[in-house]
């Protein structure tokens, strides 16, 4: 591989890690507060559709992102009400949301396609090269020639670290996830903390979805997330519930994605040919990010979930 | 004192579905007073205090603080009004540091930013003024229970608590730690500004520390007395509603051959740290060996190793001379071993199963309870009814879920299953924990009956009184090692307490050793 190919691979790693990072860093907040959120997938998918529709009709990708965040919060509100207020099982509620969003986005997108003749192409973001920094050899093109949302995603990482470990909010969030009753006896509003973190997580997951539709592409495709919400969830676990770890895990999965695209494009063809393999079905490299997810969880060892994860809290129940 | 009392609770009634937990309860606490709240489990002590602390809303009644009626909607409000509570099960977040636990939920001095330095300083001030030594930066999960309790008290004081509720604070402490706690309590109320509500069901402690005592029974307050004008017998009668014998009848033991023999046993705990470290002991037929020790000194791991639930690292376990060191619980069934686990709700019972299912849990594979793979319900039900009668389980019937029973009756179900098989060896771990006087008495009677039948009993308990009552010999465990084996009539509770704190029997001779013992309040954590 030559230098350009390496730069391209690393650049793509960061680009492809971005949607995962949005969903994972956002989801980290509610996970640390004890709400398990495997509905990231559904929220990402909805965000992807809403961002595309609003950007398409308004002409502004930024408006698309804001609308996506709002839609993510709306679904998160439903999820929060069902699980935190009504005490429904978090896993089951999340599965319902994922299935609902898969169907809903598909139907809406088909209706839109039927109603609109002509190109279904939304305006997308221009690349922001950071003046000066982008001229650094190697690092410049890898790190500093991206969409604005990419920088935003990576800024969320130190922000999350600061919130968790340096603020009273973060202390409350961590305490609620470990021992909600203890937090309650000290006047921490357990439900409010869980609601707010779920809403924030929903908004961020939807923005992650928006990156897929109007960041990487300029259109929506049915089931365009293709399990990325679950990969983002795995990134939280693999990252051991820390912002930095979650970022590294997202980058690993982004790298796997970038690599498989290049394998599809044929970078390994000389290798295959020397091994006497004529053709590799494209489905095989496509599996790579998912295989990496599994293998990664293999190596993580025993993980320490927040002690109150997925457990409903009710003050008057023992 | 003719002044306005610090706290008055008047006519407090709190009901839960199907239960009246508090029935028109009155409580008055004065400034500078240590007020004991005495009652059996389920008498309504904790409910009353949870009402005061804003965790529960009373159906009726009112609360007056320094003469002013108040409603307390939440713990936050209780804290604001100067009420602090140390719960029986500590309300600490294990992965967080002492400082983080203390400042959790408080608005920071610097807005939303955490101010650890200032908090650390105030924690140190509080710990110095009341003798509550603690390292502010240690993660709470790594501290011993005694030190965790100090953190809880500091947490309340840090929030400006003047009325401190201590819910069964001595249950987890060594005798020395209890003395240390009492010293702290006296210092707290010394200036007449603060007050303490001390919840307990232990008469000796109530007599030793309180100024006045209010007795609760079945959700009602039956009396409030000046402690110095009453005595243990009267308090016991008020608490239980009948006369209580403090010593149970016990004929002399007639030990037979060795049933259980443990040699140099090493067992690791869940974290992989050796919890039992080279321990040896023997239990004979027709004998109760009491194993005394503070919780968390390897008792659980030892019991699990014998019961085949944990594979030892080294050493050997023999039952009737046969090596069973590496056998699992299933293999051990043929050794006729009864195991009464420490956590009856998680290990002793399947809470969502019915009583009859729990009764046959060890034997359902064999006739008469099953044939050719099918369960035989009539046989199971008949057996269950028999056990319910014989062990006096208070339950609507054999088809009710174990979850629905009170703690005492749940323990009777465990005993019924384990003891009805007439075991040769009984491993009993903290069998009376959380039980009221009546149920605890029942457990002790059953153990003596088994002894008389010729069973060998290893009776693990952290309650000294019980150890003295039941044991023919007492072994003391500390950090996974035996500190000594003694006869109950040849040792004082104080000496046992010192052995529980890690001083070997051999080093205990004479008062010289006693004088060397450090002040328990100064003593550092043994994790």
């Amino acid at each position: 591989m030559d230098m350009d190919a390496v730069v391209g691979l690393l650049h793509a790693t960061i680009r492809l890690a971005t949607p995962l990072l949005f969903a994972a860093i956002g989801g980290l907040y509610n996970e640390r507060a004890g709400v398990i959120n495997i509905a990231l997938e559904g929220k990402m998918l909805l965000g992807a559709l809403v961002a595309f529709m609003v950007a398409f009709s308004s002409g502004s990708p930024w408006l698309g992102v804001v609308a996506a965040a709002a839609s993510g919060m709306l679904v998160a509100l439903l999820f929060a009400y069902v699980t935190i207020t009504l005490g429904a099982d978090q896993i089951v509620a999340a599965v319902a949301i994922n299935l609902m969003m898969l169907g809903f986005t598909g139907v809406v997108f088909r209706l839109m396609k039927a109603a609109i003749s002509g190109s279904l192409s939304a305006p997308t973001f221009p690349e922001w090269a950071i003046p000066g920094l982008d001229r650094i050899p190697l690092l410049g093109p890898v790190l500093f020639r991206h969409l604005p949302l990419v920088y935003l995603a990576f800024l969320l990482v130190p922000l999350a670290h600061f919130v968790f470990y340096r603020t009273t909010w973060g202390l409350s969030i961590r305490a609620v996830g470990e021992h909600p009753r203890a937090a309650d006896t000290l006047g921490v509003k357990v439900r409010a903390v869980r609601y707010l973190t779920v809403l924030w997580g929903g908004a961020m997951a939807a923005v992650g979805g928006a990156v897929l539709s109007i960041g990487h592409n300029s259109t929506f495709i049915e089931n365009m997330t293709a399990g990325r919400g679950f990969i983002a969830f795995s990134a939280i676990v693999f990252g051991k519930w820390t912002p930095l770890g979650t970022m590294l895990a997202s980058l690993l999965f982004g790298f796997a994605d970038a690599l498989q695209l290049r394998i599809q494009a044929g970078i390994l063809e000389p290798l295959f040919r020397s091994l006497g393999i004529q053709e590799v079905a494209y489905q095989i490299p496509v599996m790579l990010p998912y295989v990496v997810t599994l293998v990664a969880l293999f190596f993580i060892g025993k993980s320490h979930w927040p002690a109150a994860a997925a457990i409903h809290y009710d003050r008057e129940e023992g | 004192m003719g002044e306005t009392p610090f706290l008055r609770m008047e006519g407090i009634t709190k009901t839960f579905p199907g239960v009246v937990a508090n029935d028109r309860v009155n409580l008055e606490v004065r400034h500078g007073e240590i007020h004991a709240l005495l009652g059996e489990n389920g008498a309504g002590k904790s409910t009353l205090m949870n009402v005061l602390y804003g965790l529960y809303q009373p159906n009726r009644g009112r609360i007056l603080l320094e003469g002013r009626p108040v409603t307390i909607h939440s713990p936050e409000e209780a804290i604001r009004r100067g009420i602090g509570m140390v719960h029986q099960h500590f309300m600490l977040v294990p992965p967080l540091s002492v400082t983080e636990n203390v400042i959790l939920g408080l608005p920071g001095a610097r807005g939303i930013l955490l101010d650890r330095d200032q908090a650390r300083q105030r924690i140190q001030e509080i710990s110095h003024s009341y003798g509550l030594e603690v390292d502010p930066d240690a993660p709470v999960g790594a501290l011993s229970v005694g030190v965790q309790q100090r953190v809880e008290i500091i947490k309340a004081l840090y929030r400006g608590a003047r009325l401190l509720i201590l819910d069964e604070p001595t249950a987890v402490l060594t005798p020395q730690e209890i003395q240390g706690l009492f010293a702290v309590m006296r210092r707290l109320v010394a200036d007449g500004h603060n007050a303490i509500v001390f919840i307990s069901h232990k008469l000796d402690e109530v007599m030793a520390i309180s100024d006045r005592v209010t007795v609760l029974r079945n959700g009602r307050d039956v009396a409030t007395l000046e402690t110095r004008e009453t005595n243990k017998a009267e308090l016991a009668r008020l608490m239980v509603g009948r006369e209580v014998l403090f010593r149970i009848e016990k004929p002399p033991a007639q030990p037979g051959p060795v049933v259980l023999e443990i040699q140099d046993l090493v067992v690791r705990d869940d974290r992989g740290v050796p919890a039992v470290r080279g321990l040896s002991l023997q239990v004979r037929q027709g004998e109760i060996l009491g194993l005394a020790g503070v919780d968390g000194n390897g008792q659980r791991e030892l019991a699990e190793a014998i019961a085949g639930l944990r594979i030892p690292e080294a050493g050997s376990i023999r039952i009737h001379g046969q090596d069973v060191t590496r056998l699992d619980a299933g293999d051990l069934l043929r050794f006729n071993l009864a195991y009464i686990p420490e956590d009856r709700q998680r290990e002793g019972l399947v809470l969502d199963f019915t009583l009859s299912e729990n009764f046959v849990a060890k034997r359902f594979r064999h006739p008469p309870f099953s044939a050719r793979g099918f369960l035989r319900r009539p046989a199971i039900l008949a057996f269950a009814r028999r056990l319910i009668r014989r062990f006096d389980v208070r339950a609507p019937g054999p088809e009710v879920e174990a979850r629905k029973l009170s703690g005492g009756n749940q323990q009777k179900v465990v005993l019924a299953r384990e003891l009805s098989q007439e075991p040769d060896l009984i491993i009993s771990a903290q069998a009376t924990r959380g039980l009221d006087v009546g149920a605890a008495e029942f457990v002790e009677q059953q153990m003596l009956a088994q002894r008389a039948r010729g069973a060998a009993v290893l009776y693990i308990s952290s309650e000294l009184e019980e150890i003295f009552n039941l044991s023919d010999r007492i072994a003391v465990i500390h950090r996974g090692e035996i500190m000594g084996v003694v006869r109950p009539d040849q040792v004082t509770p104080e000496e046992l307490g010192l052995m529980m704190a890690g001083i070997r029997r051999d080093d205990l001779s004479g008062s010289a050793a006693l004088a060397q013992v450090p002040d328990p309040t100064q003593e550092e954590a043994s994790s």
Side-chain angles (χ1 to χ4, degrees):
Chain A
M1 254 195 285
D2 59 22
M3 219 51 191
D4 283 352
V6 173
V7 167
L9 178 64
L10 295 179
H11 183 271
T13 295
I14 290 175
R15 186 167 58 87
L16 294 169
T18 299
L20 303 176
L21 189 55
F22 269 114
I25 284 286
L28 186 56
Y29 284 82
N30 53 54
E31 298 263 334
R32 287 303 289 254
V35 182
I36 294 297
N37 202 341
I38 60 162
L40 290 176
E41 175 80 5
K43 289 166 193 166
M44 281 182 92
L45 196 53
L46 181 69
L49 177 73
V50 170
F52 162 71
M53 286 174 68
V54 172
F56 178 81
S57 47
S58 71
S60 160
W62 283 110
L63 209 55
V65 169
V66 172
S71 73
M73 286 173 92
L74 203 66
V75 178
L77 186 65
L78 174 71
F79 177 73
Y81 179 72
V82 170
T83 56
I84 301 168
T85 302
L86 301 183
D89 186 278
Q90 292 170 8
I91 304 295
V92 175
V95 168
I97 283 179
N98 285 337
L99 294 175
M100 190 167 85
M101 286 307 135
L102 184 60
F104 177 77
T105 53
V107 168
V108 170
F109 183 62
R110 282 183 208 187
L111 289 175
M112 189 175 167
K113 262 203 298 204
I116 294 165
S117 53
S119 139
L120 273 179
S121 180
T124 171
F125 291 96
E127 188 180 282
W128 278 6
I130 304 212
L133 292 179
D134 69 325
R135 306 226 171 269
I136 304 171
L138 204 62
L139 282 184
V142 170
L143 296 178
F144 301 113
R145 287 179 200 167
H146 282 284
L147 304 180
L149 287 176
V150 174
Y151 305 120
L152 182 62
F154 282 87
L155 286 176
L156 289 176
V157 178
L159 176 70
H161 185 88
F162 180 78
V163 169
F164 286 149
Y165 303 108
R166 291 277 176 270
T167 69
T168 55
W169 296 343
L171 183 57
S172 296
I173 291 171
R174 287 185 287 143
V176 165
E178 293 287 345
H179 197 332
R181 193 164 191 86
D184 192 9
T185 58
L186 297 174
V188 175
K189 297 195 169 43
V190 175
R191 284 183 177 200
V193 168
R194 289 192 163 175
Y195 259 94
L196 286 174
T197 54
V198 168
L199 289 181
W200 173 248
M204 288 303 104
V207 171
V211 175
L212 288 175
S213 64
I214 58 172
H216 296 169
N217 301 285
S218 60
T219 188
F220 180 79
I221 304 165
E222 277 187 56
N223 190 21
M224 119 176 271
T225 48
R228 282 185 181 78
F230 295 105
I231 293 184
F233 177 76
S234 313
I236 298 173
V237 180
F238 189 43
K240 305 211 165 183
W241 287 271
T242 64
L244 186 66
T246 302
M247 180 185 80
L248 293 176
S250 300
L251 283 170
L252 173 69
F253 297 140
F255 176 77
D257 207 2
L259 191 60
Q260 68 89 5
L261 286 175
R262 276 153 186 76
I263 296 173
Q264 280 195 62
I267 52 160
L268 292 184
E269 225 142 81
L271 175 71
F272 292 145
R273 223 169 290 136
S274 69
L275 290 172
I277 299 167
Q278 289 304 314
E279 199 186 331
V280 174
Y282 79 92
Q283 286 92 340
I284 290 178
V286 167
M287 292 194 318
L288 193 61
Y290 308 98
V291 172
V292 168
T293 308
L294 265 178
V295 172
L297 293 175
F298 217 73
F299 282 106
I300 180 184
K302 198 175 174 194
S303 58
H304 292 275
W305 291 71
I311 298 170
H312 175 63
Y313 178 68
D314 186 339
R315 183 180 283 171
E316 296 220 353
E317 270 175 18
Chain B
M1 284 192 275
E3 56 173 302
T4 326
F6 197 153
L7 166 76
R8 280 181 71 90
M9 298 180 80
E10 295 179 348
I12 300 291
T13 297
K14 173 68 188 172
T15 58
F16 294 103
V19 196
V20 183
N22 284 159
D23 186 4
R24 289 160 289 169
V25 175
N26 299 303
L27 175 70
E28 184 199 87
V29 182
R30 297 173 187 154
H31 289 96
E33 171 179 65
I34 297 177
H35 193 109
L37 195 56
L38 179 69
E40 296 196 286
N41 287 296
K45 306 178 303 263
S46 292
T47 304
L48 186 68
M49 288 302 107
N50 282 332
V51 165
L52 177 59
Y53 197 59
L55 278 168
Y56 297 155
Q57 294 310 310
N59 304 81
R60 268 197 304 282
R62 60 178 196 155
I63 302 172
L64 293 96
L65 270 178
E66 314 207 271
R68 283 202 312 273
V70 293
T71 31
I72 301 169
H73 294 104
S74 65
E76 205 180 4
E77 209 173 330
I79 293 164
R80 218 169 40 236
R81 296 186 186 280
I83 299 168
M85 181 150 173
V86 175
H87 295 263
Q88 188 177 354
H89 304 287
F90 295 153
M91 292 293 164
L92 296 169
V93 186
L96 302 185
S97 74
V98 169
T99 305
E100 287 178 327
N101 267 285
V102 169
I103 62 179
L104 174 62
L106 291 175
R110 297 188 295 156
I112 64 156
L113 297 182
L114 287 177
D115 194 344
R116 287 197 180 81
D117 293 335
Q118 204 208 337
R120 195 178 290 122
Q121 209 173 5
R122 268 199 61 202
I123 289 169
Q124 269 155 352
E125 283 166 23
I126 293 172
S127 48
H128 291 320
S129 41
Y130 296 107
L132 293 156
E133 296 308 319
V134 61
D135 170 10
D137 296 317
V140 160
L143 302 175
S144 72
V145 276
V147 180
Q148 290 190 1
Q149 186 172 62
R150 289 179 213 160
V151 178
E152 282 283 34
I153 295 174
I154 291 171
K155 215 166 81 178
L157 297 175
Y158 190 96
R159 287 168 163 69
R162 293 175 48 222
L163 176 64
L164 201 57
I165 305 164
L166 303 178
D167 188 358
E168 306 262 6
T170 59
V172 290
L173 304 182
T174 61
Q176 278 76 14
E177 283 176 323
I178 291 172
Q179 290 312 315
L181 172 68
F182 284 179
V184 168
M185 287 167 66
R186 290 198 187 93
R187 263 162 103 166
L188 280 167
V189 295
D191 63 359
H193 187 57
N194 303 325
I196 292 175
V197 178
F198 173 72
I199 304 180
S200 181
H201 62 257
K202 293 185 188 165
L203 299 168
D204 288 319
E205 292 171 2
V206 168
M207 292 303 296
I209 188 70
S210 69
D211 299 306
R212 289 195 303 156
V213 49
T214 294
V215 185
L216 292 188
R217 186 172 76 228
N218 295 333
R220 297 189 179 189
D221 59 308
V222 289
T224 296
L225 307 162
E226 298 280 336
T227 308
R228 61 175 177 278
E229 291 169 9
T230 182
N231 55 52
K232 265 175 72 173
E234 182 185 21
L235 289 179
R237 187 163 37 73
L238 288 167
M239 177 166 85
V240 183
R242 61 179 166 82
E243 293 296 336
V244 176
L245 298 172
F246 284 104
R247 279 232 160 244
I248 47 180
E249 293 301 311
K250 195 174 75 173
Q254 311 202 320
V258 172
V259 175
L260 174 70
E261 178 164 24
I262 296 174
Q263 276 293 334
D264 304 321
L265 194 69
V266 178
V267 188
R268 289 178 188 272
D269 67 12
D270 293 336
R271 294 168 301 169
V273 182
V276 176
R277 307 190 300 174
L279 178 146
S280 301
L281 53 79
Q282 292 184 340
V283 190
R284 291 172 177 276
Q285 193 182 66
E287 159 188 78
I288 297 180
L289 177 72
L291 186 67
V294 180
D295 249 10
N297 274 288
Q299 296 99 319
R300 166 184 278 270
E301 289 77 12
L302 173 65
E304 289 180 353
I306 302 169
L309 298 170
R310 199 178 274 273
I311 301 297
E313 184 80 6
S316 71
I317 304 170
R318 288 171 182 277
I319 297 178
H320 292 309
Q322 273 185 271
D323 190 349
V324 299
T325 315
R326 307 194 70 83
L327 297 190
D328 69 21
D331 301 329
L332 282 168
L333 281 179
R334 65 193 154 86
F335 286 89
N336 204 8
L337 163 85
Y339 174 50
I340 295 150
E342 190 173 314
D343 188 339
R344 74 184 72 100
Q345 300 207 325
R346 277 169 51 195
E347 289 166 27
L349 295 168
V350 184
L351 287 179
D352 291 318
F353 278 17
T354 65
L355 295 193
S356 42
E357 287 166 336
N358 273 293
F359 282 136
V360 297
K362 265 180 151 174
R363 283 183 263 179
F364 67 89
R365 290 183 204 84
H366 307 290
F369 305 122
S370 67
R372 288 179 290 277
F374 291 96
L375 292 174
R376 297 189 55 229
R377 278 178 53 85
I380 293 173
L381 282 177
F383 178 65
R385 289 207 183 85
R386 221 162 47 236
L387 289 191
I388 286 175
R389 254 196 322 278
R390 202 178 123 201
F391 285 83
D392 188 29
V393 182
R394 305 284 166 82
E399 294 292 75
V400 66
E401 286 160 27
R403 181 182 297 286
K404 302 256 163 68
L405 269 51
S406 72
N409 282 302
Q410 288 178 347
Q411 188 69 316
K412 285 180 182 174
V413 174
V414 177
L415 288 175
R417 181 185 65 221
E418 297 295 326
L419 303 186
S420 61
Q421 59 180 357
E422 310 218 314
D424 297 339
L425 172 63
I426 300 170
I427 311 299
S428 162
Q430 317 289 1
T432 60
R433 171 168 297 165
L435 301 189
D436 60 35
V437 176
E441 233 177 55
F442 181 86
V443 171
E444 292 175 3
Q445 302 287 359
Q446 288 296 325
M447 291 298 153
L448 289 176
Q450 294 295 322
R451 180 187 80 146
R453 199 181 48 74
V457 183
L458 177 63
Y459 193 81
I460 303 172
S461 173
S462 45
E463 301 275 339
L464 275 189
E465 200 175 326
E466 185 173 272
I467 288 280
F468 269 103
N469 274 345
L470 281 181
S471 310
D472 300 307
R473 291 186 300 141
I474 302 173
V476 181
I477 189 170
H478 172 77
R479 294 208 187 180
E481 294 178 68
I482 297 292
M483 294 291 112
V485 182
V486 293
R487 300 202 169 276
D489 51 1
Q490 292 170 348
V491 69
T492 64
E494 289 67 34
E495 287 170 324
L496 270 194
L498 291 172
M499 288 162 75
M500 285 162 70
I503 295 168
R504 283 178 195 279
R505 169 71 173 166
D506 306 338
D507 305 336
L508 254 185
S509 46
S511 54
L514 292 169
Q516 289 171 8
V517 179
D519 178 358
T521 56
Q522 304 296 319
E523 184 197 338
E524 221 5 86
S526 59
S527 62

